[in-house]
Amino acid sequence: MGLPITLKQAHISNAKLEELYGEQVKKIHSEMASGTAVGGEFLGWKNLPNEIPTNELEEVLEVAARLRKSSEVVIVIGVGGSYLGSKAVIDALSPYFERNSDDPEVIFAGQNLSGTYMKQLLAHIEGKEAAVIVISKSGTTTEPAIAFRILLEYMENRYGSSVNERIVAITDKSEGALREMAVRSGFTTFVVPDDVGGRFSVLTPVGLLPIAVAGIDIEQLIAGAKDAVSELSTEDISANNAYKYAALRNQLLSEGYNVEILASFTPRFATFHEWWKQLYGESEGKDGKGIFPASVAYPTDLHSLGQYVQDGQRMLFETFVQFEESVEDCGIPTSKDNLDGLNYLSDKTMNEINEVTLRATMQAHDDGGVPLIHLTVGKHDAYHIGYLIYFFEISCAMSAYLLGVNPFDQPGVEEYKKNIFRMLEKPGFVEEK
Ligand code: PA5
């Protein structure tokens, strides 16, 4: 078996990249290893796949099995890092149309403030056995808190004194309103570790519980991430694709390529783009710096954004994620009349044509002056998605450090919150001058 992820690019020679970034990468690698890097108190995700306590994993599997048995629909409440990772993995690994009959439907709330969405969600779960997983590291984020207040009232009215069997809270070990509610009400709880920030938390119960509830093999997900930890542990940029990716991004930024587009040809991978955007956007976009992370789902977006990518302002580079092995395929039938003129394709399958379209697109964008990075992932399964998660996490941290920012804070996210509290006249809110 080859490497789970390979990286190809033709923008800069490996020797030049090593000359420009090799030493800096080594220094940052050792600062991350010793915890002396800026934000070092949030490096808990770095060896997390090897450190998930057996009893915690067993408990996640046990609670997931209980919810799967008792519920037809499970509502996961959270926003940002408290929902994107689980949604990304569930979407990437679930069938497009029909769920397996044993798998409950997993839906999300608290990631928006639409009253219409909530009303329709409540109507959708009516008459179905339901459970709620509420996730907030801080335990005080407004969007999920509002969703939980509404859904808790609904669940209490419906299930009375047995409601606690159907509520799980995942939050800080001791702080925040959600922890206090969980303690008072006796909900089942899991802890978000202090040293793991929201966008790096998909391999904690934050991601693992909803993913397991959806029927996805979390042990395989963790196995992939564990292999990534060991295979991406070298300080040597020439032998570490995650660090190479990080250096390349910074090199491209220094040449004026300010926008990175993550592109894939696998529709159910599109939510993973959203997780990736948060990971890189929140980690790097600060102090007036950073690459703007964008994404496209091809070939759909070839017919919308394709024109810009090919021919618009030359400030973009593109990172393609290609899965080598597809799960199922569909042949092209031969037609007697050939009125659509497609008989020339009838010895091919859709996935083969998808792959040709990917190559054709890469060639066109290369010709159009878009620098390309090509990541190939060995197989579309839980193991490889777990590997990919860690690949992007470790390269994101390295990339942010190369850029000269703290990857683990998000001071900008606070600004709009202050405005809401002021506008909604939150009791006790005092704006700092
Ligand atoms: O990555 C992050 O830290 C953020 O995106 C948070 O996950 C998001 O703001 C939600 O925060 P919390 O989990 O505290 O409700």
Side-chain angles (χ1 to χ4, degrees), residues 79-82 135-139 141 144 197-199 278 282 410 417:
V79 70
S82 290
I135 309 172
S136 176
K137 183 176 180 190
S138 60
T141 309
R199 56 189 171 275
Q278 189 213 359
E282 250 181 30
Q410 51 283 328
K417 291 186 190 170

Side-chain angles (χ1 to χ4, degrees), residues 11 21 247-258 291 317-318 371-373:
H11 185 72
Y21 292 92
L248 261 169
R249 302 177 77 251
N250 277 273
Q251 177 58 25
L252 287 160
L253 180 63
S254 73
E255 294 174 27
Y257 296 101
N258 298 319
I291 295 168
F317 67 98
E318 231 174 351
L372 305 179
I373 299 174

